[in-house]
């Protein structure tokens, strides 16, 4: 899935755990919740649902785990190092728990789902383990821990989409927000743990999605990112009540159009697109609406058809290239980013070279790049030997990273001298003399503050210089 940070760091490593501070909406219990998130945007979005459920149950939130009554860590299993980071973090919570034995420590998310009750044996300080489809049960599970028993709920659901839960926006800039449109994944890519940790794919009622986007816009938000592991397979058919006629099934292209219609002032982004499922209808819909950002995250994983087949990606090199051609034809200015895995089982040097040549073909604007990490229980772990030595995986990764560095620079250099419509997100990280925001293609743009404009407004910025990650320029009047 697309990341917030436009860096070359890897998926989970790019994101520090985040915390939040909120007051209860229900009857206050005076208890304090701390929650920290790792992994993809889906997890960050889920933490907003968790916070909403607990704030509704009288909790208030804190940004300091040391003063919390309940400490939650929303975890990621995608690669081994993602899990290692969580375990290290749990060790840090240990001394706080020793000082305050009443403190409840909970593990949520993908690692909870993967390890289930084993977590309680492996990490003694953990009191509660809750999978991604069981968050409505949290108040009850916390009650059990209060009564002195450890609690686990890792049931996956075929229906749960949390459609009716109004997420509380954590650490939000009040300008951009995530909106989950579906959960789970039915794809079974052989390297991937997500289908096991998040269960079957299900789409959320489009009416609740459009309503959430409208409410965000009315609250001053200017950008929504629609989230799913494979947004192109979004599909919702409203249940038919007795005596009513069935309404047509809504696909992702329809959904995009409906959200875009909320207001021309609301920018729409989405992630992740799957190369096998992205349709021309989606591309034409993107082309039709100015407020749908011209940016597609289209993970390739490998440029070689044999490896793609082993990965069970269900497309080959030619298919992927045809989809890129379709994007270039229908949306000529579209930014394209990707995910790449190096050193997948049995990958040869020639096959790795095809990944590099695919990168040359597309010249991605941006990429998340990973060395293959075998995950227990996946098809690849069962069927293939993880036979590429670590240093070979790493060397191939370095080659991929270096190539991407060149392409990112190439793309940004092409943006220099052009005027970009930028949504101001706030002050730049480096200086409060500068604003930062993104152009349509999701590139970070930095420019001097102009007192006529505030965060949340659109400005036109002439790009004058760049690095491989950032455009620098100045506001111009059109
Ligand atoms: N649903 C998204 C991917 C979600 S996981 C998609 O299909 O594109 C994000 C990325 O992590 C994947 O695209 C892949 O590049 C990487 N990844 C997943 N499992 C991995 C593994 N076992 N080892 C290394 N990288 C992995
Ligand atoms: Fe994993 Fe593949 Fe599903 Fe993406 S599409 S979440 S890589 S199984
Ligand atoms: Fe996301 Fe990590 Fe789970 S990438 S879906 S939090 S395994």
């Amino acid at each position: 899935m697309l990341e917030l940070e436009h860096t070359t760091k890897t998926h989970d490593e790019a994101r520090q755990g985040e915390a939040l501070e909120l007051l209860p909406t229900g009857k206050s219990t005076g208890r304090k919740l701390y929650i920290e998130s790792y992994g993809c945007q889906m997890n960050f979005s889920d933490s907003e649902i968790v916070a909403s459920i607990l704030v509704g149950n009288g909790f208030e939130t804190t940004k300091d785990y040391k003063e919390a009554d309940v400490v939650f860590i929303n975890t990621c299993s995608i690669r081994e190092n993602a899990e290692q980071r969580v375990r290290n973090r749990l060790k840090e919570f240990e001394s706080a728990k020793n000082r305050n034995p009443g403190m409840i420590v909970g593990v949520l998310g993908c690692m909870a789902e993967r390890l289930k009750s084993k977590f309680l044996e492996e990490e003694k300080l953990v009191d509660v383990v809750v999978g991604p489809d069981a968050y409505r049960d949290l108040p009850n599970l916390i009650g059990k821990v209060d009564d002195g028993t450890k609690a686990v709920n890792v049931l996956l659901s075929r229906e749960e989409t949390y459609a009716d839960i109004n997420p509380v926006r954590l650490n939000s800039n009040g300008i951009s927000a995530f909106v989950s449109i579906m959960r789970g994944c039915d794809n079974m890519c052989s390297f991937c743990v997500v289908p096991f940790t998040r269960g079957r794919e299900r789409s959320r009622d489009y009416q609740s999605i459009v309503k959430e986007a409208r409410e965000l816009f009315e609250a001053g938000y200017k950008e929504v990112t629609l989230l799913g592991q494979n947004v192109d397979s979004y599909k919702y058919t409203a249940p038919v009540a007795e005596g009513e006629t069935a309404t047509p099934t809504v696909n992702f292209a329809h959904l995009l159009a409906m959200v875009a219609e909320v207001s021309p002032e609301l920018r729409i982004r989405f992630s992740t697109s799957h190369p096998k499922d992205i349709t021309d209808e989606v591309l034409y819909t993107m082309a039709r609406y100015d407020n749908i950002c011209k940016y597609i995250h289209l993970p390739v994983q490998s440029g070689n058809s044999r490896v793609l087949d082993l990965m069970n990606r269900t497309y080959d090199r030619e298919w992927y290239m045809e989809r890129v051609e379709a994007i270039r034809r229908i949306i000529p200015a579209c930014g394209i980013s990707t995910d790449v895995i190096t050193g997948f089982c049995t990958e040869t040097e020639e096959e790795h070279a095809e990944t590099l040549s695919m990168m040359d073909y597309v010249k991605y604007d941006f990429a998340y790049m990973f060395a293959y990490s075998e995950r227990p229980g996946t098809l690849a772990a069962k069927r293939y030997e993880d036979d590429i030595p670590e240093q070979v995986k790493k060397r191939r990764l370095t080659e991929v990273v270096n190539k991407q560095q060149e392409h990112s620079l190439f793309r940004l250099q092409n943006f220099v001298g052009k005027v970009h419509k930028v949504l101001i997100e706030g002050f730049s990280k480096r200086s409060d003399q500068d604003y930062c925001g993104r152009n349509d293609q999701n590139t970070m743009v930095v420019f001097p503050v102009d007192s006529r404009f505030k965060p949340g407004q659109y400005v036109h910025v002439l790009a004058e210089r760049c690095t491989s990650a950032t455009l620098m320029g100045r506001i111009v009047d059109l």
Side-chain angles (χ1 to χ4, degrees):
M1 312 250 320
L2 181 77
E3 290 294 320
L4 259 180
E5 298 247 350
H6 220 220
T7 73
T8 48
K9 285 184 199 152
T10 58
H11 212 69
D12 40 80
E13 283 135 4
R15 313 290 298 271
Q16 285 302 318
E18 281 184 20
L20 60 132
E21 212 154 9
L22 276 172
L23 289 173
T25 55
K27 198 168 169 294
S28 175
T29 57
R31 295 176 91 181
K32 288 193 171 152
L33 163 73
Y34 171 87
I35 181 164
E36 199 171 275
S37 314
Y38 294 81
C40 64
Q41 289 159 330
M42 210 68 157
N43 249 18
F44 284 71
S45 168
D46 280 3
S47 291
E48 301 189 327
I49 288 166
V50 167
S52 173
I53 291 170
L54 289 190
V55 168
N57 276 272
F59 277 78
E60 56 186 87
T61 60
T62 171
K63 286 186 171 169
D64 179 6
Y65 73 84
K66 295 187 180 113
E67 63 160 44
D69 302 291
V70 173
V71 171
F72 282 159
I73 181 160
N74 197 356
T75 60
C76 175
S77 284
I78 201 80
R79 284 168 292 278
E80 200 179 338
N81 60 8
E83 293 202 349
Q84 200 46 52
R85 286 183 70 209
V86 167
R87 290 191 193 275
N88 294 345
R89 188 64 175 144
L90 281 172
K91 288 205 178 65
E92 289 169 28
F93 292 153
E94 216 162 79
S95 57
K97 179 141 178 160
N98 287 341
R99 258 178 278 126
N100 170 13
M103 184 173 117
I104 295 175
V105 176
V107 178
L108 315 180
C110 290
M111 228 176 137
E113 191 63 49
R114 194 177 84 70
L115 291 160
K116 304 185 169 55
S117 53
K118 260 200 288 186
F119 227 116
L120 297 178
E121 295 151 30
E122 289 176 17
E123 305 281 348
K124 293 285 180 244
L125 84 159
V126 174
D127 302 296
V128 53
V129 177
V130 191
D133 285 347
Y135 296 145
R136 286 182 203 267
D137 199 23
L138 277 169
N140 167 48
L141 296 169
I142 290 173
K144 282 192 181 162
V145 180
D146 288 339
D147 292 342
T149 46
K150 298 212 170 198
V152 180
N153 187 343
V154 287
L155 285 177
L156 286 171
S157 158
R158 279 176 174 256
E159 284 94 34
E160 180 64 272
T161 59
Y162 301 109
D164 57 314
I165 292 183
N166 212 356
V168 294
R169 304 291 160 184
L170 310 178
N171 276 15
S172 165
N173 56 6
I175 296 164
S176 16
F178 296 132
V179 176
S180 284
I181 64 164
M182 57 208 295
R183 299 181 70 81
C185 183
D186 279 353
N187 277 325
M188 296 305 254
C189 300
S190 64
F191 52 80
C192 184
V193 78
V194 173
F196 304 95
T197 62
R198 298 223 154 224
R200 300 302 298 268
E201 179 186 291
R202 66 222 97 120
S203 296
R204 175 179 167 191
D205 181 350
Y206 64 90
Q207 289 172 356
S208 76
I209 298 170
V210 175
K211 179 166 169 276
E212 190 174 328
R214 188 174 300 118
E215 285 170 0
L216 283 164
F217 183 68
E218 282 162 4
Y221 284 80
K222 292 291 172 54
E223 183 175 81
V224 294
T225 303
L226 307 179
L227 293 182
Q229 293 297 355
N230 178 4
V231 290
D232 301 291
S233 68
Y234 177 88
K235 199 161 102 188
Y236 188 82
T237 316
V240 188
E242 245 185 56
E244 279 181 16
T245 45
T247 48
T249 295
V250 171
N251 68 18
F252 184 56
H254 306 144
L255 178 72
L256 264 183
M258 284 191 267
V259 180
E261 295 278 351
V262 165
S263 165
E265 288 292 294
L266 182 68
R267 268 187 169 181
I268 321 301
R269 298 187 184 277
F270 55 88
S271 182
T272 299
S273 301
H274 196 297
K276 89 172 147 68
D277 292 320
I278 189 165
T279 59
D280 286 357
E281 190 190 6
V282 164
L283 302 179
Y284 283 116
T285 307
M286 289 177 72
R288 204 161 67 236
Y289 288 92
D290 278 347
N291 58 330
I292 303 180
C293 289
K294 307 298 178 267
Y295 174 70
I296 298 176
H297 186 58
L298 196 68
V300 66
Q301 315 297 2
S302 163
N304 171 264
S305 295
R306 189 190 72 89
V307 174
L308 286 169
D309 187 39
L310 289 185
M311 287 176 164
N312 204 22
R313 286 291 285 182
T314 65
Y315 54 85
D316 60 13
R317 181 178 170 93
E318 285 65 39
W319 174 279
Y320 187 91
M321 289 166 105
E322 190 282 325
R323 289 290 77 200
V324 170
E325 272 169 41
I327 295 170
R328 301 271 188 241
R329 186 175 68 242
I330 298 168
I331 321 168
C334 197
I336 305 180
S337 61
T338 202
D339 292 346
V340 174
I341 297 177
T342 63
F344 186 66
C345 315
T346 73
E347 183 189 66
T348 64
E349 286 304 325
E350 292 72 29
E351 289 165 342
H352 163 64
E354 282 206 74
T355 297
L356 295 170
S357 75
M358 177 66 96
M359 295 176 78
D360 282 329
Y361 173 77
V362 185
K363 295 202 173 54
Y364 294 105
D365 292 68
F366 184 77
Y368 297 98
M369 298 152 284
F370 314 101
Y372 173 59
S373 160
E374 185 177 84
R375 308 309 296 130
T378 55
L379 291 182
K382 287 186 195 146
R383 286 188 193 156
Y384 315 121
E385 193 191 336
D386 180 12
D387 60 349
I388 307 299
E390 214 45 46
Q391 75 270 23
V392 176
K393 287 182 187 172
K394 287 278 149 61
R395 194 252 305 141
R396 291 180 188 170
L397 180 62
T398 306
E399 288 173 16
V400 164
V401 167
N402 290 344
K403 186 162 286 289
Q404 185 50 44
Q405 197 70 5
E406 282 170 33
H407 292 156
S408 295
L409 186 62
F410 167 80
R411 288 287 171 208
L412 267 68
Q413 280 168 342
N414 273 329
F415 286 147
V416 170
K418 299 192 175 102
V419 173
H420 301 260
K421 188 176 174 185
V422 174
L423 173 61
I424 309 176
E425 288 175 16
F427 293 108
S428 93
K429 271 190 205 140
R430 295 237 177 100
S431 150
D432 58 9
Q433 309 288 306
D434 288 329
Y435 277 147
C436 68
R438 282 160 211 279
N439 68 2
D440 231 18
Q441 291 81 2
N442 209 35
T443 308
M444 188 52 89
V445 186
V446 173
F447 46 96
V449 169
D450 176 331
S451 58
R452 290 175 299 162
F453 302 105
K454 291 197 301 284
Q457 287 185 302
Y458 294 99
V459 284
H460 288 98
V461 177
L462 171 67
E464 296 172 314
R465 287 167 295 130
C466 72
T467 64
S468 64
T470 313
L471 286 170
M472 274 93 53
R474 62 184 162 86
I475 296 178
V476 288
D477 296 316
L478 281 193

